[in-house]
Amino acid sequence: MSNRHGLPLLAQREDELSKCAYCPKLCRATCVVSEAEPREALTPWGKMTSAFESTRGGADAERAELAWGCSNCFRCREACDHRNPVTPTLNDARADYVDQGLAPPRVAALLERASDIEAEHVAANERLSDSPGVRADAAQALLLGCRYAKVFPDEARAAIRLAVTLSGPVRLLRGCCGAWQRAAGAAKAADAAQQRLAAELGTARLLVLDPRCALELAPLRPTPLVALAARHGERFVRAPGAEPVRYHDSCALGRGLGMYDPPRRLLARVTGHTPLELTTSRELSRCSGAGGILPVSMPEVSKAGAARLASEHQALGGGPLVTSCASSLSRLRGAGVAAVDLVTLLESGLSRDD
């Protein structure tokens, strides 16, 4: 199946696409996907060039599949002299390909489960609604994020305790930010999810646990919980039994939201030690392979990304590895790493004294 003219979103990305299509490929070493699958077509240059060619010579399933070989990690942007926005451009490419019926089978199956996924998310939040400080009439709302609510309820409850202690009662938002739908190529579903969440939020202040959700919801001016904690740095003390930790700059909190120093300062207070670093950190921090929907579209590549990060951590001495991303937490633990959630660790060192 092909179509020469039906790529309306990509048509608006002419400048971004051409920058990559005529580039000397300086970003090739930054991509978690092309590290695991050393194919020219899966480098950032290759994926953008493929999308560029789709706007001229027609889209087909083989070319379309490349667009989902991306974890939405922004790392290639840091190696680009133009800081070319590969992630949003490939998101637009996926949306056009989905509209053309060219989504890879795994992605299509995921999108068919969208209503079930939403119901699971609502149910997970309802199970957390008995947490102390959660009130339906609270003047501020907390969005935990799908994976935190469903997969990591202990970490979610720690986040609720931190938010309530620092900022007062919260009500839990049941809606979805739309990030996974956008990464899957369902742009209209992502926009609709964000609109429903905005209606649920109303005029309340928005606190967000998962940095990827905060990044997606930028128009709603959310406050990430890490940013809230940083405003109250004096409230954090060394946690009982604290030990040195290594810190992983997650893609959304670091390259996405630009938060590098505040997490490190908070970790130093809570652990009593300046956090250890990975070989590459901050702007060039290695992606865990868990971002976007890479675990669905290319599961083995996603696992390889986590394994590579785990090997780097172990070669440096191992121990606890702190990350701020629920998807990374899942992937790293699956790779055998003693991964710890940042907000959970911060909550353990939060003084309850006013």
Side-chain angles (χ1 to χ4, degrees), residues 288 302-311 314 328-338:
S288 70
S302 174
K303 290 178 183 177
R308 182 158 184 159
L309 182 56
S311 295
Q314 295 300 334
S328 291
L329 196 65
S330 181
R331 267 288 180 248
L332 290 171
R333 287 180 179 176
V337 176

Side-chain angles (χ1 to χ4, degrees), residues 121-143:
H121 177 56
V122 170
N125 277 278
E126 288 177 349
R127 290 192 292 272
L128 295 165
S129 62
D130 63 348
S131 301
V134 173
R135 287 185 4 202
D137 62 346
Q140 58 186 354
L142 172 61
L143 179 68

Side-chain angles (χ1 to χ4, degrees), residues 2-343:
S2 65
N3 187 300
R4 291 181 179 273
H5 304 293
L7 301 173
L9 290 177
L10 275 187
Q12 302 172 45
R13 295 282 186 176
E14 181 78 15
D15 182 59
E16 293 92 332
L17 291 168
S18 61
K19 279 188 173 73
C20 281
Y22 299 112
C23 173
K25 314 172 193 175
L26 299 178
C27 63
R28 68 174 71 198
T30 66
C31 179
V32 66
V33 176
S34 57
E35 280 183 335
E37 289 283 338
R39 293 165 47 198
E40 189 84 338
L42 282 173
T43 64
W45 170 86
K47 287 171 284 201
M48 291 284 278
T49 299
S50 174
F52 181 71
E53 292 170 349
S54 288
T55 66
R56 283 158 169 71
D60 57 50
E62 183 177 359
R63 184 174 286 167
E65 187 174 18
L66 298 173
W68 279 272
C70 170
S71 67
N72 289 19
C73 79
F74 309 107
R75 197 177 186 220
C76 58
R77 182 192 66 194
E78 301 303 317
C80 177
D81 287 343
H82 301 285
R83 291 184 62 82
N84 212 24
V86 171
T87 287
T89 303
L90 289 181
N91 281 345
D92 284 351
R94 296 168 198 167
D96 279 338
Y97 291 143
V98 165
D99 285 346
Q100 294 295 328
L102 296 174
R106 289 191 183 95
V107 175
L110 178 70
L111 291 174
E112 288 174 2
R113 292 193 58 245
S115 60
D116 292 336
I117 293 171
E118 183 176 354
E120 292 166 3
H121 177 56
V122 170
N125 277 278
E126 288 177 349
R127 290 192 292 272
L128 295 165
S129 62
D130 63 348
S131 301
V134 173
R135 287 185 4 202
D137 62 346
Q140 58 186 354
L142 172 61
L143 179 68
L144 296 167
C146 303
R147 188 167 291 272
Y148 275 110
K150 289 190 290 189
V151 182
F152 298 113
D154 291 341
E155 283 77 4
R157 289 187 185 276
I160 294 169
R161 290 194 297 270
L162 183 142
V164 169
T165 302
L166 291 180
S167 198
V170 298
R171 58 183 171 92
L172 298 184
L173 293 176
R174 302 187 305 167
C176 175
C177 72
W180 80 262
Q181 295 97 319
R182 197 172 308 283
K188 294 175 183 176
D191 291 341
Q194 190 169 128
Q195 289 167 8
R196 290 194 298 272
L197 188 70
E200 184 185 359
L201 174 66
T203 59
R205 176 192 186 193
L206 176 58
L207 304 175
V208 179
L209 169 56
D210 195 313
R212 183 66 64 173
C213 296
L215 189 59
E216 179 70 23
L217 296 173
L220 301 182
R221 303 182 67 180
T223 298
L225 285 191
V226 177
L228 176 67
R231 295 173 190 172
H232 299 273
E234 75 286 350
R235 297 286 302 275
F236 295 89
V237 298
R238 184 170 183 176
E243 58 181 318
V245 299
R246 198 178 315 280
Y247 182 59
H248 168 241
D249 290 284
S250 72
C251 306
L253 187 66
R255 288 184 289 269
L257 297 175
M259 295 190 68
Y260 297 108
D261 291 325
R264 288 170 167 81
R265 287 195 292 266
L266 289 166
L267 284 173
R269 292 186 67 91
V270 169
T271 67
H273 304 271
T274 299
L276 303 172
E277 299 286 353
L278 289 157
T279 303
T280 54
S281 61
R282 296 180 180 265
E283 288 84 358
L284 292 178
S285 175
R286 190 177 300 282
C287 175
S288 70
I293 59 161
L294 192 66
V296 173
S297 61
M298 294 185 172
E300 296 307 313
V301 169
S302 174
K303 290 178 183 177
R308 182 158 184 159
L309 182 56
S311 295
E312 178 182 330
H313 173 57
Q314 295 300 334
L316 292 169
L321 180 63
V322 177
T323 188
S324 62
C325 166
S327 296
S328 291
L329 196 65
S330 181
R331 267 288 180 248
L332 290 171
R333 287 180 179 176
V337 176
V340 181
D341 181 67
L342 173 61
V343 168

